[in-house]
Amino acid sequence: MSYPDATPEPIAFGERLRILRTRRGMTRPVLAGLLGKSPSWLKQIERGDLHTPSLPMVLRMAEALRVRDLSDLTGDAARMPTALFIGPGHPRLPEVRAAVDAFPLPVDDRRAPDTAHLRASLAHAWAARHSAPNHREVIGTLLPGLIRDGQLAVRQAGTPAERRAAQAVLAEVYSLAQFFLAYQPDSALLWRVAERGMVAAQESGDPHALGMAAWLTAEAHRDSAQYDGADAVTMQALHWLEPQLPDAGEDVRAIAGALQVAAGYTASSRGDAGSAWGWWDKADRVARGLSAAYYHPVTSFSRAVMGAHAVTLAVELHAGNESVRQVRQADVRSIPSRPRRARHRIEEARAYQLDGKPEAALETVDKAHENAPETIQYNGYARRIILEETEAKAPDRRRRASELAVKVGVLAA
């Protein structure tokens, strides 16, 4: 007796593309525009009338759709490099996960550090992150202790005021944890930490803590292409902060500015240039009201970073000439954080590639790697640029891209 083969037919590339596009709420004309193609071309790809595009075009589709694992798009994990927008698991990840997952029982007889000590420890951690090329290693070493101490401080708080102060510090500890966990292969842990950070911030009632938690939550939504969720969090936080801004200190005003930039990023991801630049203008006015040397340790918001934000907006809007013009105006040397400078270099590389300057794009990615190698290893845009250029027709560029791919860890030696 014979039985029918129960193995389902593989889903064709075009159908996978259509499913991912509709799941993201993106129309065919919008996606086609982001790819520099016509809606009719995209329709033919989705219907299977045209062959699967080349690797560079597949990588651009993955970027536009915020696909973290290329096999979701290609259906072929064996032949395609899959971890595009997810970096490798850091060696410190199990220790951080254990600290987050530990159930904090009230049997710990240690005395919790006071909030002043915790804040000093956090300031040290942020400073170390901004100065280190291996910034994930640095904060991954510090995080388990900070998480345990922050939780203990909340449990041992003697008064409502002390508990609110401890919750504000714990919220910032979770903010630091999100920088470590971003783009690592444990998205459930990242979202769990984001939710805990938001709860701690809400319990604290502290405007700065709430603004930070909202900013990070909006970032997580946008990275997942959940633009409505990103906008909802951003707008609610800005509406709540607005009445407090006239009398607020620099940290709270900087958080409001960072949220305005976040709103601009989301608008640019949707292709809404008017709203994107309108939000940038508002944020720039906030930045100009801060002291010249001010630099927010969590969001990097400052006068120095506004040029970098302008580059990213132009890149997200796929405006090649404008992107390069903004690159020329931005001063990367004024950004005091090594990982933030490396991230800006990656945005510069995206601008050059958009403007048809692949050699400059590769050179700029290499500069970013020299500045902060761990930033490159976990950045999907950098990985996409490198992988695209490994397929370049020019032999010298293909060789350079392949060497950089090995150095970064995108391809094995």
Side-chain angles (χ1 to χ4, degrees), residues 295 302-311 324-337 340-342 344-345 348:
Y295 192 84
S302 57
R303 293 188 192 181
V305 85
M306 290 308 298
H309 286 317
V311 172
V324 172
R325 190 181 76 82
Q326 293 294 346
V327 165
R328 296 192 185 106
Q329 291 185 342
D331 181 10
V332 67
R333 296 167 299 178
S334 65
I335 301 174
S337 166
R340 188 62 183 86
R341 284 200 303 274
H344 175 59
R345 288 292 190 196
E348 286 184 341

Side-chain angles (χ1 to χ4, degrees), residues 5 21 49 57 77 80 107 146 181 201 207 212 235 251 284 286 305 312 328 348 363 382 386:
D5 185 359
R21 176 180 60 76
D49 296 338
M57 179 55 70
M80 297 289 288
V107 295
L146 284 168
L181 294 170
M212 278 194 305
M235 299 308 164
D251 283 347
D284 190 50
V286 174
V305 85
T312 300
R328 296 192 185 106
E348 286 184 341
E363 181 182 349
I386 295 168

Side-chain angles (χ1 to χ4, degrees), residues 370-401:
E370 291 172 6
N371 196 263
E374 284 192 347
T375 297
I376 299 294
Q377 291 169 359
Y378 292 88
N379 188 284
Y381 299 118
R383 296 161 75 89
R384 192 264 295 167
I385 290 169
I386 295 168
L387 283 171
E388 273 197 36
E389 295 306 321
T390 62
E391 299 281 312
K393 292 181 180 178
D396 288 345
R397 198 163 79 239
R398 188 168 64 246
R399 175 189 51 78
R400 184 174 185 181

Side-chain angles (χ1 to χ4, degrees), residues 34 85 155 164 184 217 224 239 252 256 260 296 350 386 395:
L34 292 174
F85 287 88
R155 291 203 307 275
R164 287 194 297 272
Q184 291 206 54
T217 302
S224 302
H239 180 74
V252 174
Q260 289 168 342
H296 192 271
R350 293 176 71 197
I386 295 168

Side-chain angles (χ1 to χ4, degrees), residues 22 53 56 59 63 75 95 108 141 154-155 244 256 272 275 287 289 296 307 309 315 332 340 345 376 378 400:
T22 54
L59 292 168
E63 178 184 329
E95 300 168 44
D108 194 337
T141 302
V154 170
R155 291 203 307 275
Q244 307 177 57
D272 185 349
S275 294
H296 192 271
H309 286 317
V315 168
V332 67
R340 188 62 183 86
R345 288 292 190 196
I376 299 294
Y378 292 88
R400 184 174 185 181

Side-chain angles (χ1 to χ4, degrees), residues 8-307:
E9 286 291 321
I11 302 175
F13 175 85
E15 180 63 11
R16 286 177 177 273
L17 178 62
R18 186 193 65 78
I19 291 170
L20 288 167
R21 176 180 60 76
T22 54
R23 189 180 296 167
R24 293 290 187 247
M26 194 177 289
T27 65
R28 193 175 285 134
V30 167
L31 178 57
L34 292 174
L35 300 174
K37 294 288 187 177
S38 68
S40 62
W41 175 88
L42 183 57
K43 183 177 181 179
Q44 291 180 79
I45 292 289
E46 291 184 347
R47 291 173 55 178
D49 296 338
L50 295 176
H51 292 299
T52 300
S54 64
L55 176 59
M57 179 55 70
V58 171
L59 292 168
R60 293 186 183 194
M61 290 173 169
E63 178 184 329
L65 294 168
R66 295 295 198 271
V67 174
R68 292 178 177 270
D69 191 324
L70 273 179
S71 63
D72 290 343
L73 178 57
T74 66
D76 188 351
R79 292 179 53 207
M80 297 289 288
T82 60
L84 183 63
F85 287 88
I86 298 179
H90 193 278
R92 298 284 180 184
L93 178 58
E95 300 168 44
V96 175
R97 183 190 294 117
V100 173
D101 289 345
F103 188 71
L105 291 168
V107 295
D108 194 337
D109 56 3
R110 290 186 305 126
R111 182 62 192 164
D114 60 30
T115 53
H117 178 84
L118 276 173
R119 286 208 171 277
S121 298
L122 263 175
H124 167 73
W126 283 115
R129 177 188 180 270
H130 289 304
S131 62
N134 58 333
H135 46 93
R136 286 180 193 265
E137 173 66 21
V138 168
I139 62 174
T141 302
L142 299 172
L143 269 171
L146 284 168
I147 292 169
R148 288 190 289 268
D149 285 347
Q151 291 174 341
L152 192 62
V154 170
R155 291 203 307 275
Q156 293 183 1
T159 67
E162 289 174 353
R163 183 177 177 82
R164 287 194 297 272
Q167 290 281 24
V169 176
L170 182 58
E172 189 169 339
V173 170
Y174 286 134
S175 296
L176 182 65
Q178 288 178 70
F179 277 84
F180 174 80
L181 294 170
Y183 309 115
Q184 291 206 54
D186 195 340
S187 56
L189 181 63
L190 174 63
W191 279 104
R192 192 154 69 251
V193 167
E195 289 167 0
R196 288 190 187 182
M198 182 62 81
V199 170
Q202 289 170 336
E203 291 288 329
S204 75
D206 180 80
H208 183 242
L210 273 162
M212 278 194 305
W215 180 80
L216 282 161
T217 302
E219 292 281 304
H221 277 300
R222 190 171 58 255
D223 282 345
S224 302
Q226 299 173 17
Y227 301 135
D228 289 345
D231 267 340
V233 172
T234 304
M235 299 308 164
Q236 288 169 7
L238 281 170
H239 180 74
W240 184 78
L241 284 172
E242 188 175 3
Q244 307 177 57
L245 294 179
D247 300 320
E250 285 192 311
D251 283 347
V252 174
R253 284 184 282 137
I255 281 293
L259 285 163
Q260 289 168 342
V261 171
Y265 275 13
T266 305
S268 65
S269 298
R270 285 192 166 112
D272 185 349
S275 294
W277 290 113
W279 282 112
W280 186 92
D281 286 338
K282 290 180 180 179
D284 190 50
R285 287 195 290 272
V286 174
R288 292 178 185 280
L290 303 173
S291 56
Y294 179 86
Y295 192 84
H296 192 271
V298 182
T299 67
S300 293
F301 189 81
S302 57
R303 293 188 192 181
V305 85
M306 290 308 298

